């Protein structure tokens, strides 16, 4: 059976508060640099991220700003070093080992992210060499970000943005799962990596996929 556990990175696998603040700070500084007349670059950052899904893409497509250097400036070496520090922690490794153990039951693991490859790759490798990364191109929640998955593949998609999940709410063979404390009538919520593991195991049992 072709099964794929599809995971967001920021807010799902990477949740370290200092690291996320570091990332957001870099992004806000980039907005301020590209829009020197902007009185509130943080508000602009938040608005673009919420409405478009990606700040660099939003600056380019909505405000006609040249963002060729977005990934290099936002995902700079100090940020990547900070990410490596978080990844090296035992608690992070234990969680990633739990995710990887699902491959023993036939699950493929895919990271579906709007982040740059230099951010996604270390996270993927912390889970295993066999993890697939799907990066820009198209950005969640755009429908085109989800099209390169086989239609007959069973997919569990975990993300911390309900907007990203809504795109596949009615899609065949997609099971959206919200990562966070909010409850939603139309999809399951999970609050930890352990919850994801338990959800996938119960999904297998319910659908008679474990023999």
């Amino acid at each position: 059976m072709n099964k794929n556990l599809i995971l967001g990175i920021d807010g799902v696998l990477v949740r370290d508060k200092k690291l996320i603040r570091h990332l957001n700070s870099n992004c806000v500084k980039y907005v301020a640099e590209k829009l020197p007349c902007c009185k509130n670059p943080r508000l602009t950052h938040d608005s673009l991220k919420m409405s478009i899904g990606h700040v660099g893409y939003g600056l380019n497509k909505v405000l006609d700003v040249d963002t060729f250097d977005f990934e290099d400036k936002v995902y700079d070496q100090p940020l990547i070093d900070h990410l490596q520090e978080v990844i090296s922690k035992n608690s992070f490794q234990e969680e990633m080992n739990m995710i990887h153990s699902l491959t023993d039951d036939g699950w493929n693991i895919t990271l579906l992210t709007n982040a740059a490859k230099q951010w996604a790759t270390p996270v993927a490798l912390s889970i295993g060499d066999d993890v697939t990364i799907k990066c820009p191109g198209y950005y969640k929640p755009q429908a085109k970000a989800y099209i390169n998955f086989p239609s007959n593949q069973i997919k569990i998609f975990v993300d911390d943005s309900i907007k990203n999940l809504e795109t596949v709410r009615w899609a065949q063979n997609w099971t959206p799962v919200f990562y966070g404390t909010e409850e939603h009538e139309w999809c399951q919520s999970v609050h930890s990596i352990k919850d994801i593991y338990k959800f996938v195991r119960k999904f297998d049992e319910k659908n008679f996929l474990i023999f």
Side-chain angles (χ1 to χ4, degrees):
M1 182 64 69
N2 191 359
K3 306 181 293 182
N4 201 343
L5 175 60
I6 303 166
L7 303 166
I9 294 181
D10 301 344
V12 179
L13 299 178
V14 174
R15 306 180 310 280
D16 184 88
K17 292 180 180 179
K18 288 183 179 179
L19 178 58
I20 296 299
R21 282 199 300 269
H22 189 169
L23 171 60
N24 287 336
S25 176
N26 279 12
C27 222
V28 171
K29 288 176 183 176
Y30 187 85
V31 173
E33 176 187 326
K34 293 295 181 176
L35 300 174
C37 295
C38 179
K39 294 182 179 179
N40 193 334
R42 181 169 293 279
L43 183 61
T44 301
H45 163 274
D46 293 349
S47 177
L48 289 172
K49 189 172 182 180
M50 180 65 65
S51 60
I52 306 297
H54 188 273
V55 175
Y57 182 78
L59 284 171
N60 181 254
K61 295 300 180 182
V62 177
L63 301 174
D64 198 29
V65 173
D66 188 350
T67 55
F68 74 96
D69 56 353
F70 177 85
E71 291 188 357
D72 289 338
K73 288 200 170 183
V74 171
Y75 298 94
D76 59 10
Q77 195 57 50
L79 180 66
I80 299 302
D81 290 343
H82 194 171
L83 173 64
Q84 292 288 3
E85 289 176 14
V86 170
I87 286 175
S88 67
K89 293 179 179 178
N90 288 337
S91 57
F92 189 92
Q93 290 296 324
E94 288 171 2
E95 289 186 340
M96 297 308 101
N97 288 340
M98 193 179 299
I99 292 294
H100 190 263
S101 70
L102 293 168
T103 63
D104 293 337
D105 294 325
W107 285 91
N108 299 300
I109 309 295
T110 299
L111 306 188
L112 180 59
T113 178
N114 289 347
K117 210 152 210 175
Q118 59 261 43
W119 181 261
T121 299
V123 179
L125 290 174
S126 72
I127 302 171
D129 295 340
D130 50 353
V131 173
T132 301
I133 302 171
K134 290 190 181 292
C135 282
Y138 297 104
Y139 298 94
K140 300 176 294 183
Q142 297 174 53
K144 287 183 179 179
Y146 306 82
I147 61 174
N148 291 322
F149 293 93
S151 59
N152 63 343
Q153 182 184 65
I154 293 173
K155 297 171 282 286
I156 295 177
F157 174 39
V158 185
D159 203 274
D160 70 326
S161 167
I162 197 67
K163 193 170 184 178
N164 292 343
L165 296 169
E166 283 175 343
T167 307
V168 295
R169 178 177 180 178
W170 305 109
Q172 185 178 12
N173 290 327
W174 284 80
T175 300
V177 178
F178 178 72
Y179 192 107
T181 56
E182 301 170 16
E183 298 295 330
H184 300 274
E185 290 183 0
W186 57 270
C187 74
Q188 176 77 31
S189 292
V190 293
H191 315 296
S192 67
I193 297 300
K194 190 172 184 179
D195 281 352
I196 296 174
Y197 175 83
K198 288 180 177 178
F199 179 87
V200 175
R201 295 287 295 173
K202 287 180 180 177
F203 183 94
D204 271 344
E205 292 169 5
K206 180 180 178 181
N207 291 278
F208 308 105
L209 297 176
I210 294 180
F211 300 94

